Amino acid sequence: QLVTLGEIQVARGRLAEADALFARALPLVDRFAGPGSTQAAWLLLRLGLVRLHLGRLGEAVAALERTLALHDALPQVGLNDRLNLLGLLMEAVTKLHIDGTRAIKYGQRRLHLAAQVTDPGERAWYRAQTLANLGKCHTANGDWATAAEHVEQGLGEVERVPPPRQLLVRFLLLEQ
């Protein structure tokens, strides 16, 4: 019930109320479904996203990192879900300016997973997006040469990205 009420608050744009409901639901989900359950992973993801939108980056990263650990332990979690979660973590950690190497590790892991995507256009999309974010991470760390390498590699992926997303990828890469 708490989770459903939280989702209703998200739909209404009342994120603070959703956060409180999700936070109250988490110990109950852990207790009844188990802390390693798909329900716990899903709720932690929702909690992390809400906190990300509320600007509570530290708490968002903690929830998203716990989600990632659960995703790694749950074989039924899909590749795209892991890729999207790693992308969120890269962005959140980079915005926090707490640990550039942590964001870079997420990016490297995301590149590795992107290689497993079977559709060439989707693979190029994930690679280009990740390379753009890695460029941001290296720029934030003052490593301009590596940032430029990532941007160049990302630009090399653009032609393989499906046309509707090509403009977005170019924007992300040139934002550097």
Side-chain angles (χ1 to χ4, degrees):
Q1 299 292 342
L2 290 172
V3 175
T4 303
L5 291 173
E7 285 300 322
I8 291 169
Q9 296 307 325
V10 167
R12 291 181 176 165
R14 300 168 78 178
L15 298 181
E17 290 90 346
D19 177 71
L21 290 163
F22 290 153
R24 282 181 45 205
L26 187 57
L28 298 172
V29 169
D30 282 348
R31 183 172 166 201
F32 293 108
S37 67
T38 55
Q39 294 90 340
W42 183 86
L43 182 54
L44 280 164
L45 176 61
R46 297 300 291 160
L47 188 61
L49 291 172
V50 165
R51 289 178 175 174
L52 194 60
H53 288 288
L54 288 171
R56 294 166 51 190
L57 297 177
E59 294 171 271
V61 167
L64 294 172
E65 285 180 334
R66 188 169 162 208
T67 304
L68 182 62
L70 290 175
H71 277 197
D72 289 343
L74 296 166
Q76 65 270 34
V77 174
L79 180 61
N80 286 347
D81 290 335
R82 284 190 173 95
L83 285 162
N84 292 330
L85 181 56
L86 284 164
L88 286 170
L89 275 165
M90 278 182 72
E91 289 182 38
V93 170
T94 302
K95 285 180 185 175
L96 271 176
H97 302 291
I98 52 170
D99 185 358
T101 47
R102 194 156 97 196
I104 290 167
K105 285 180 185 175
Y106 289 137
Q108 291 168 339
R109 183 170 171 195
R110 193 169 194 243
L111 279 177
H112 177 73
L113 284 176
Q116 298 173 30
V117 175
T118 55
D119 179 84
E122 286 294 306
R123 183 173 47 249
W125 163 250
Y126 282 120
R127 280 189 49 75
Q129 198 181 35
T130 304
L131 288 163
N133 286 331
L134 278 168
K136 286 181 190 176
C137 295
H138 285 288
T139 298
N141 287 348
D143 185 355
W144 299 97
T146 305
E149 285 176 30
H150 286 303
V151 170
E152 284 182 36
Q153 288 174 6
L155 287 170
E157 294 287 336
V158 170
E159 295 306 316
R160 290 184 284 280
V161 174
R165 293 180 172 172
Q166 281 183 2
L167 185 60
L168 177 59
V169 169
R170 287 181 196 277
F171 176 76
L172 288 171
L173 288 162
L174 297 175
E175 197 176 41
Q176 303 305 309

